[in-house]
Amino acid sequence: MELIEVETFAIQRTPPFLDDKVLIVAGGKPPNDLWFKKISKDFDIWAVDGGVRYCRKLDITPKVLIGDGDSSSSGDWIWAKKGGTKAYKYPKDKDYTDLQLTLMQIGESYKSASVFVTAGLGGRLDHTMSNVFSLLWAEKWGVNAVGFIDDEESLLLLRCCEELKIFFKERPLAISLLSLSPQSQGVYLRGVKWELEDATLKLEEPFAISNELKYEEKVVHLRVESGCVGIYICHPRGGLK
């Protein structure tokens, strides 16, 4: 699949995205209801524990539910199972987080899938940071984790020798680049006010933040030769009701 649309923007990647599209609904800051209902139609929905509450609220039956039940009710699990959801329940005392267990199961369930996460940012900082680095870790489980998306903010991962084109439907408030590896080299960025050419970004020197589109520009082009860069996008609020 060459182009993936997520309401506020569309993304094209080289190499291209994998055939199946999975949206993991975690238990963090919930997305806008209308946004979630629209986007859910284009993905296989997997709920991570508390994420099943958002699904139940909008009557979006997840394909799979995984977790230990500490942030969801027994009624949520019963509702999901009645709708045909495959459920994997784990004890609260375990080595891996619910999101990590979900990513592992996706690696076993799909031959090729492009995986996104919503409701994975916000709330407790330790949870947010763990979620971000879990998507990097997921590569070891055979999972192509693209990043986090919702109606207010997104964080896309750009790995070694990949290129992204982001087509914006509305002007973002800010675009920031953060190295998620010790160094990210050969970073190229076009379509913004402060462009980059063969730049090196370092984990401990996060200077490439709060960028913005050039006047009347709607497309941003990025690539990286080594390392992994997180592309943070802050979306304008109020566009969805």
Side-chain angles (χ1 to χ4, degrees), residues 17-230:
F17 291 109
L18 303 177
D19 294 335
D20 293 311
K21 292 191 295 180
V22 176
L23 179 64
I24 298 174
V25 186
K29 181 187 68 177
N32 173 278
D33 289 352
L34 178 58
W35 179 91
F36 184 31
K37 287 186 75 171
K38 285 183 176 180
I39 200 172
S40 66
K41 299 174 184 177
D42 297 324
F43 290 83
D44 286 347
I45 303 298
W46 287 51
V48 179
D49 206 359
V52 71
R53 293 184 285 110
Y54 311 145
C55 294
R56 186 181 182 186
K57 175 185 175 184
L58 299 176
D59 198 29
I60 298 171
T61 305
K63 182 174 182 178
V64 179
L65 169 59
I66 294 178
D68 55 23
D70 68 347
S71 56
S72 56
S73 69
S74 58
D76 294 328
W77 286 71
I78 292 170
W79 167 83
K81 290 179 180 178
K82 283 183 177 179
T85 299
K86 189 171 185 177
Y88 298 86
K89 197 160 190 177
Y90 290 85
K92 293 181 181 180
D93 296 330
K94 57 188 186 303
D95 293 330
Y96 297 102
T97 68
D98 291 337
L99 177 61
Q100 290 161 6
L101 291 168
T102 301
L103 292 165
M104 290 178 189
Q105 188 60 50
I106 288 173
E108 294 180 5
S109 301
Y110 293 86
K111 289 183 178 179
S112 63
S114 294
V115 178
F116 294 78
V117 180
T118 194
L121 303 175
R124 280 177 49 175
L125 179 60
D126 58 339
H127 285 178
T128 296
M129 293 184 69
S130 172
N131 289 347
V132 170
F133 286 101
S134 292
L135 290 202
L136 298 180
W137 194 8
E139 193 170 14
K140 296 183 179 179
W141 306 319
V143 176
N144 179 244
V146 181
F148 299 85
I149 53 173
D150 70 23
D151 56 293
E152 291 187 358
E153 57 183 350
S154 299
L155 180 68
L156 306 176
L157 306 184
L158 183 65
R159 298 177 177 84
C160 172
C161 303
E162 290 182 346
E163 291 189 36
L164 276 185
K165 284 186 178 180
I166 307 174
F167 303 85
F168 289 99
K169 298 180 182 179
E170 53 184 343
R171 189 176 181 86
L173 298 178
I175 301 171
S176 299
L177 302 189
L178 297 163
S179 182
L180 299 177
S181 52
Q183 285 193 45
S184 296
Q185 297 179 319
V187 180
Y188 171 96
L189 174 63
R190 286 289 183 272
V192 294
K193 186 175 181 179
W194 295 283
E195 297 183 332
L196 296 175
E197 178 76 41
D198 197 26
T200 296
L201 302 184
K202 298 181 180 180
L203 182 65
E204 74 274 16
E205 297 177 5
F207 66 85
I209 65 169
S210 297
N211 213 328
E212 58 189 68
L213 291 180
K214 284 183 177 178
Y215 181 68
E216 294 188 347
E217 181 63 76
K218 293 184 178 180
V219 181
V220 170
H221 185 191
L222 308 102
R223 67 171 179 261
V224 62
E225 292 180 3
S226 67
C228 180
V229 173

